Amino acid sequence: MPLIARLVPTVTLVIGLAHAIASAADEVVVYSSRNEQLIKPLFDAYTKETGVHVRFITDKEGPLIERLKAEGSNTPADLLITVDAGNLWFAGDEGLLRAVESHALRANIPEAWRDPDNRWFGLTVRARTIVYNTKRVKPTDLSSYEDLGTAKWKKRLCLRTSKKVYNQSLVAMMIAELGEAKTEAIVRSWVANLATDVFSDDTAMIEAIAAGQCDVGIANTYYFGRFKSKHPDAPVALFWPNQGDRGVHVNVSGGGVTRHSKRAAAAVRLLEWLSSPSAQKIFTEIDFEYPANPSVAPSPTVAAWGTFRSDPINVSKAGELQRAAVMLMDRAGYR
């Protein structure tokens, strides 16, 4: 065989390998349940800084997780980004994420906000706290989540539907710390105090509190931030409950490298960058969330809400006890 004929397959193989390596280094594919306007600025900044293109699709967390399961080893996704530790825990429990050993991620993200098995890491933090009508409630009237079930809040409480994972995670964490029997009694007392039917989302509930339809409710802080940015004079404020015991319930949005990623090293580098101070600063400026990296200060707007003691329990409990929480809420009549 002529020399050139023997070299062609080798050259082709080398070119093919070089192309594959270049593709692996130059692109990361992300499945994200976070809206495009919340993640695109971050990915654009990453591309500008590193030259690595981030290709992404957005959808609800449920369809994205089902898509990963259906695609299996053929998935193009390298990274899953979603909200709530319950969703992250479920993706990990379904075997869709791989463990990542990263000194940067361990250094940047506190232990309570990352998976004990290193399959996912929190990137932003939100507190699920009490919102109240400042014309009808004094801060001294408030104390704890449990207190919202006492007689003084009869027909004055608003809640978001139990169908949303945020309340399921709150109840799951209460089960972890208070036990099922006590938590069920608390949830029943909330239901008994409802001023009206549950709301489909936090924004509608905050609007009802501002309008005086009810006086207090439980909402994520970034929903409060969005509402106040549009209605600065609305008579609503935040209260930090349980400061004398377990602290305010907090949860995370976060991400993990997919089990079948073809560019796992590049995905880890992106995840590490998202936990870095430069990316965390962008996170905090986009949507009124708290940075997961404690070395980064929250935005001035968020900082103005004041400081609080947060619940130190690992947020993975929100996933581990999610099923028990859903069953408990159903038994308690929380719809």
Side-chain angles (χ1 to χ4, degrees):
M1 181 183 292
L3 177 62
I4 187 66
R6 284 184 276 132
L7 285 177
V8 165
T10 303
V11 171
T12 302
L13 176 61
V14 170
I15 292 173
L17 285 173
H19 176 72
I21 292 170
S23 297
D26 294 348
E27 183 176 87
V28 178
V29 178
V30 178
Y31 285 2
S32 171
S33 72
R34 309 221 64 182
N35 293 333
E36 179 171 342
Q37 68 268 25
L38 300 180
I39 55 170
K40 190 173 185 302
L42 286 146
F43 295 158
D44 288 346
Y46 185 68
T47 299
K48 184 177 180 181
E49 185 174 316
T50 66
V52 177
H53 176 62
V54 181
R55 187 156 55 93
F56 65 93
I57 64 168
T58 60
D59 203 340
K60 297 292 186 184
E61 53 272 9
L64 286 179
I65 289 173
E66 289 303 314
R67 182 170 178 163
L68 279 172
K69 291 167 67 175
E71 291 172 342
S73 61
N74 294 319
T75 185
D78 302 301
L79 199 62
L80 172 68
I81 292 178
T82 187
V83 297
D84 200 281
N87 292 322
L88 291 162
W89 181 90
F90 181 70
D93 194 54
E94 289 289 308
L96 301 175
L97 305 177
R98 65 172 70 188
V100 170
E101 292 299 331
S102 164
H103 173 74
L105 286 165
R106 286 199 304 274
N108 290 341
I109 307 300
E111 187 174 357
W113 298 338
R114 48 184 161 90
D115 178 35
D117 295 323
N118 296 320
R119 295 167 300 181
W120 49 264
F121 299 83
L123 295 173
T124 64
V125 176
R126 58 279 299 274
R128 191 153 187 80
T129 192
I130 293 176
V131 177
Y132 67 96
N133 185 308
T134 56
K135 291 183 178 178
R136 301 161 66 98
V137 177
K138 298 176 182 176
T140 51
D141 296 333
L142 296 158
S143 61
S144 66
Y145 298 108
E146 295 92 314
D147 182 67
L148 296 179
T150 60
K152 67 181 174 184
W153 301 112
K154 190 74 174 177
K155 304 301 181 187
R156 300 174 70 188
L157 174 65
C158 278
L159 291 175
R160 183 175 183 165
T161 173
S162 67
K163 304 297 187 295
K164 186 63 182 178
V165 69
Y166 301 145
N167 281 339
Q168 295 168 5
S169 291
L170 168 63
V171 172
M173 298 292 259
M174 292 172 66
I175 292 174
E177 297 177 287
L178 303 176
E180 279 206 38
K182 188 171 182 179
T183 302
E184 183 169 336
I186 294 166
V187 174
R188 285 185 184 279
S189 70
W190 290 349
V191 173
N193 278 354
L194 287 177
T196 185
D197 289 341
V198 295
F199 291 84
S200 60
D201 60 61
D202 281 13
T203 301
M205 190 194 69
I206 295 171
E207 288 172 349
I209 295 171
Q213 186 178 0
C214 46
D215 294 342
V216 292
I218 301 173
N220 279 353
T221 42
Y222 61 90
Y223 281 102
F224 175 82
R226 292 174 188 171
F227 179 80
K228 287 292 279 186
S229 70
K230 296 176 181 176
H231 310 282
D233 298 325
V236 290
L238 296 175
F239 178 83
W240 308 118
N242 297 82
Q243 293 303 279
D245 45 53
R246 66 183 184 277
V248 175
H249 168 61
V250 295
N251 209 315
V252 299
S253 75
V257 179
T258 63
R259 172 172 293 279
H260 297 294
S261 168
K262 311 300 188 298
R263 296 162 286 251
V268 171
R269 286 194 290 274
L270 173 56
L271 196 58
E272 289 174 337
W273 183 83
L274 289 171
S275 74
S276 70
S278 58
Q280 290 282 297
K281 190 171 186 300
I282 298 173
F283 267 127
T284 66
E285 293 172 346
I286 291 177
D287 195 33
F288 306 106
E289 292 181 282
Y290 292 91
N293 186 330
S295 73
V296 179
S299 71
T301 299
V302 172
W305 298 340
T307 58
F308 61 91
R309 178 181 183 274
S310 63
D311 191 337
I313 191 172
N314 190 292
V315 291
S316 64
K317 288 294 179 185
E320 292 177 31
L321 296 169
Q322 196 101 153
R323 180 179 172 83
V326 171
M327 294 172 67
L328 183 154
M329 294 159 93
D330 187 56
R331 291 197 302 273
Y334 183 6
R335 305 298 180 228

